[in-house]
Amino acid sequence: MPQLNFKLLLMLLFVSTLSSCVVSSYDDPCVISGKVTDSVGIGIPEVLISLKSKLYEDSLKTDANGNYVINLSEAGNVELVFSKTGYSSKSSNLVLLGGEKKKYDVTMNTLLEHMYFNPETKEKTVLNTGGIFSIGIYTNMLFELESKESWISCTKYDSFVYIKCDSNETTEERIALIILKPEGKPNDTITIRQLAGPVLRVIDYTGLKSTSFLQTKPFVTFSREITVVSASASNQNLQYELSDDKKTINFSNIKFSAFSPMPIKLTVKDSDGIQLSFELDLKLFINTQSLPSHNGQKYIFTNDDKYIWVYTVNGYSYTLRRFSSTDLKEETPITLTQSANIFYNPYNNSLYVTTYRSFEDRQVSDISIYNAETSAFISKLTIDLNYNTISDMAFSASGYGIMILGNELYYIDSANEHKCGLFSTLSMLYDQHEKSRLIPSHIDMCNNNKTFILYGVDISGATSVYSYNPENRVLRLVFNNGENYDVVTNNFVDVAYCFNENSTKIICMNVVNFKAKILNLPSTGVRNLAVLKADGTDPNILTSNFSLISVDDNSIKNFTHQGDSYYIKSSNDGKLVVLNYKGTIYLYQSEIFTKYYNYIK
């Protein structure tokens, strides 16, 4: 009996082992079923379900209630992707056993539910000095921005808003709203709060701005009312006066060099009692530019006085340099391949660059034309007239020009395809002592580019000045004198100023009404002069040794500065002066020579 029980026990153990070792087959079919719902549990119909396994790919869609059933022919890894327009896609990787029936429900969110838009801060306070800063925007959305306040500007770069604030010159705190406009979400705002001003700072001083000189003494102007603690230059105290509004300091005992700045030190207190110190360089000139040695003896102002052109030579390098008349900063130059003469045409605002070359058995003049505003090359002409080359040329406002070629004058009409021809054979233009010798050797323009001035010296040393009106084609001899005179004019006047360094007079010849005015000098004459705009009817004359002569009343202001003879020229409106001093160009407002003459040493 015990032996039978033992056999029965072994049989039961064997059966039990068989049942526990049964493994499902990998090839048995599987089923995945479930429901796709939204964030509140409602079934989503027509959700595309893409499935991919080792052996095949397939797809199906959920039914009207969001249910789905996927029958698989075998077990293994299955990748599922649930997608529908307007919803964020969802993907899953499932592992199924043979014969398994897996329940797999999915929740899908709408795209808006997945979007986020969070500014780093909703409010920022900035100093009254202004400045630039950025605010981060944490978002996965596209957005635009807008700010309507004029003192603030905003730009967007990636997920940052860059903000630039002007300084607050008012006495009140001010607020600007930056409106953020995310796509598909309500607008958001950032509030920028700026502290009250104004900031105590220097806003103007002699030599800082080039627009006009508002004061008749050297000055420094602040943004707020101040009291002066100390003012000095070269360790010497400066005498000063405070303006009625207590914002401007005027100095009465300063003496400037025309060619170098004057460092001064100021310590002031603002209306809040805060003490601040400033170090400034007062100067009479706007700016300077260096030139190669022995260069820059010819300046060309464009007709609108926007640019100054200077022809320079450095070894075998020939360059037309263009400077802004606002600050004398250099802009696009023109590089030339050989030595040249430079002329200007106000009709087309162009530079005429003349060079010479041999052609067959004679010399011809090539004219390269450049836009004086942009430096761009326009076209090229060749002048082949009687084997002569161009020595001088000028154009009127209508485009009609006159050229000197050898011992003859020719016209050139830029308004008529640069048609050329013999200008005149009038005997008055030729030397009575040598009939074939042309007297005019220089041509200039005045009277708003309406009147030509032609001048030169005959074989005896006598100077003749002619005027020519291109509208009525009338040539007149307006001045003839036995002395050898230089002649200067300007576009804003209708007068030729005749002078030399040995004569004690300047002869002012009106080339329209032919009346003369004599300016008497106290001693020797002048080597060069420029014509400046003045408050009276007639202009002022600035001589090359810094003397100022009023054409109105012949009054003369002699500056204490007595230096070399400088090459000087004024702009077409007489409001600017350029001067060459030891290889450096200086640009001045002409007002400094009329308002500041007592302060130049």
Side-chain angles (χ1 to χ4, degrees):
M1 187 68 181
Q3 186 177 2
L4 179 60
N5 290 337
F6 176 74
K7 290 181 179 180
L8 179 60
L9 178 60
L10 287 176
M11 187 178 293
L12 291 172
L13 288 173
F14 177 73
V15 173
S16 174
T17 302
L18 285 177
S19 63
S20 64
C21 290
V22 172
V23 179
S24 61
S25 172
Y26 182 84
D27 295 331
D28 289 345
C30 306
V31 178
I32 306 173
S33 63
K35 187 173 186 178
V36 182
T37 59
D38 60 19
S39 58
V40 295
I42 299 175
I44 306 174
E46 295 295 314
V47 175
L48 178 66
I49 305 172
S50 302
L51 58 124
K52 182 179 180 182
S53 68
K54 183 178 180 181
L55 297 178
Y56 63 92
E57 298 181 9
D58 200 356
S59 65
L60 71 156
K61 290 185 178 182
T62 59
D63 64 16
N65 298 314
N67 296 310
Y68 72 93
V69 176
I70 301 172
N71 293 302
L72 301 171
S73 60
E74 64 179 19
N77 294 329
V78 178
E79 179 183 339
L80 300 178
V81 177
F82 299 82
S83 61
K84 183 174 181 177
T85 302
Y87 291 82
S88 296
S89 297
K90 180 166 287 190
S91 60
S92 300
N93 284 303
L94 305 179
V95 179
L96 286 88
L97 299 176
E100 184 177 2
K101 295 181 179 180
K102 191 173 189 67
K103 181 76 170 176
Y104 186 70
D105 294 331
V106 174
T107 300
M108 294 177 65
N109 292 315
T110 63
L111 290 176
L112 286 178
E113 289 173 322
H114 268 184
M115 289 182 176
Y116 58 92
F117 188 85
N118 301 309
E120 179 183 22
T121 181
K122 293 293 189 73
E123 184 169 332
K124 187 173 180 66
T125 300
V126 296
L127 299 176
N128 51 19
T129 51
I132 300 175
F133 57 93
S134 64
I135 294 177
I137 308 294
Y138 303 110
T139 183
N140 60 356
M141 304 174 63
L142 298 175
F143 69 96
E144 300 296 330
L145 54 83
E146 177 186 4
S147 179
K148 296 181 179 179
E149 297 296 334
S150 60
W151 56 272
I152 193 170
S153 59
C154 310
T155 56
K156 178 169 66 82
Y157 185 77
D158 289 338
S159 293
F160 288 89
V161 175
Y162 289 87
I163 302 164
K164 180 181 179 182
C165 296
D166 296 338
S167 60
N168 189 358
E169 302 302 328
T170 72
T171 57
E172 301 291 334
E173 179 182 273
R174 57 186 179 181
I175 293 175
L177 294 180
I178 300 174
I179 303 172
L180 306 173
K181 302 176 179 179
E183 202 173 75
K185 277 187 174 290
N187 291 348
D188 209 338
T189 59
I190 299 175
T191 301
I192 305 299
R193 191 181 307 275
Q194 187 175 41
L195 300 179
V199 182
L200 178 62
R201 57 186 176 86
V202 174
I203 61 173
D204 197 8
Y205 58 86
T206 301
L208 173 64
K209 294 184 177 179
S210 59
T211 51
S212 63
F213 285 85
L214 302 178
Q215 314 294 329
T216 57
K217 295 180 180 180
F219 70 95
V220 178
T221 299
F222 292 88
S223 59
R224 301 178 65 178
E225 292 184 8
I226 54 99
T227 55
V228 182
V229 177
S230 64
S232 62
S234 301
N235 297 319
Q236 298 291 322
N237 291 332
L238 296 176
Q239 297 177 11
Y240 62 85
E241 303 162 0
L242 200 57
S243 61
D244 292 339
D245 62 4
K246 299 182 179 179
K247 293 182 180 180
T248 298
I249 305 173
N250 294 289
F251 303 101
S252 55
N253 67 335
I254 284 182
K255 288 290 186 180
F256 284 97
S257 165
F259 305 119
S260 59
M262 171 175 283
I264 68 167
K265 296 181 178 179
L266 291 174
T267 301
V268 299
K269 286 184 179 179
D270 66 9
S271 55
D272 297 328
I274 299 174
Q275 183 168 301
L276 295 171
S277 296
F278 299 86
E279 294 187 12
L280 305 169
D281 285 337
L282 307 189
K283 63 183 189 299
L284 296 180
F285 53 87
I286 297 169
N287 207 350
T288 65
Q289 284 282 357
S290 61
L291 295 176
S293 300
H294 311 297
N295 273 248
Q297 297 302 301
K298 182 175 183 179
Y299 303 103
I300 296 174
F301 282 89
T302 54
N303 199 48
D304 56 6
D305 290 324
K306 187 176 179 179
Y307 296 107
I308 307 164
W309 284 94
V310 182
Y311 173 62
T312 64
V313 180
N314 191 4
Y316 293 99
S317 177
Y318 309 96
T319 308
L320 267 172
R321 299 174 67 183
R322 179 166 64 122
F323 302 102
S324 166
S325 62
T326 301
D327 52 14
L328 209 62
K329 295 294 179 63
E330 186 166 3
E331 303 189 22
T332 311
I334 299 172
T335 301
L336 307 177
T337 57
Q338 67 183 94
S339 178
N341 284 331
I342 315 300
F343 308 102
Y344 177 70
N345 187 346
Y347 171 74
N348 53 18
N349 193 27
S350 296
L351 297 171
Y352 283 55
V353 180
T354 63
T355 54
Y356 315 112
R357 61 182 171 90
S358 297
F359 179 74
E360 296 179 348
D361 60 345
R362 59 193 181 275
Q363 290 280 319
V364 298
S365 296
D366 290 327
I367 303 177
S368 298
I369 304 175
Y370 296 86
N371 187 307
E373 174 81 16
T374 65
S375 304
F377 174 77
I378 298 174
S379 62
K380 188 174 183 178
L381 309 171
T382 297
I383 304 296
D384 185 4
L385 295 171
N386 288 359
Y387 311 98
N388 291 313
T389 54
I390 300 169
S391 59
D392 206 356
M393 178 166 52
F395 291 89
S396 69
S398 66
Y400 183 89
I402 300 177
M403 304 181 292
I404 298 177
L405 285 87
N407 281 309
E408 292 181 308
L409 288 180
Y410 287 82
Y411 72 85
I412 176 170
D413 191 351
S414 63
N416 189 20
E417 298 181 346
H418 291 93
K419 181 180 179 181
C420 298
L422 189 64
F423 172 77
S424 176
T425 56
L426 294 176
S427 60
M428 74 169 74
L429 294 172
Y430 290 86
D431 196 325
Q432 63 179 347
H433 307 290
E434 188 177 330
K435 301 297 184 181
S436 62
R437 184 178 182 275
L438 184 70
I439 294 175
S441 57
H442 300 282
I443 311 174
D444 212 336
M445 298 300 303
C446 68
N447 191 25
N448 293 317
N449 291 315
K450 296 177 182 177
T451 305
F452 288 89
I453 292 179
L454 301 89
Y455 57 95
V457 179
D458 66 17
I459 200 169
S460 69
T463 298
S464 295
V465 179
Y466 306 86
S467 69
Y468 179 71
N469 186 328
E471 291 186 0
N472 57 24
R473 301 291 196 269
V474 173
L475 178 72
R476 297 284 297 267
L477 175 66
V478 296
F479 176 77
N480 179 259
N481 191 286
E483 295 185 57
N484 189 335
Y485 282 94
D486 290 317
V487 179
V488 167
T489 187
N490 194 291
N491 204 29
F492 77 97
V493 297
D494 52 11
V495 176
Y497 300 89
C498 307
F499 62 94
N500 68 47
E501 59 182 309
N502 299 312
S503 176
T504 58
K505 60 185 178 182
I506 297 175
I507 302 171
C508 309
M509 288 299 308
N510 190 296
V511 298
V512 176
N513 61 25
F514 312 111
K515 294 181 179 179
K517 188 172 187 177
I518 308 298
L519 301 178
N520 294 306
L521 305 177
S523 56
T524 187
V526 296
R527 294 183 182 178
N528 200 358
L529 60 83
V531 188
L532 310 184
K533 196 75 172 177
D535 294 334
T537 304
D538 292 319
N540 289 319
I541 292 175
L542 181 67
T543 71
S544 57
N545 66 343
F546 281 171
S547 293
L548 189 71
I549 305 170
S550 170
V551 179
D552 266 339
D553 58 13
N554 203 164
S555 61
I556 299 175
K557 299 180 177 70
N558 284 312
F559 301 149
T560 58
H561 181 94
Q562 295 293 324
D564 300 328
S565 176
Y566 311 113
Y567 181 83
I568 57 177
K569 184 177 176 64
S570 54
S571 58
N572 292 300
D573 59 7
K575 295 180 180 180
L576 295 171
V577 177
V578 285
L579 181 148
N580 188 335
Y581 172 62
K582 295 183 178 180
T584 300
I585 299 177
Y586 290 78
L587 176 65
Y588 302 89
Q589 287 281 344
S590 60
E591 282 186 308
I592 71 157
F593 298 106
T594 57
K595 291 184 177 180
Y596 276 50
Y597 64 90
N598 289 329
Y599 304 99
I600 300 178
K601 62 180 178 180

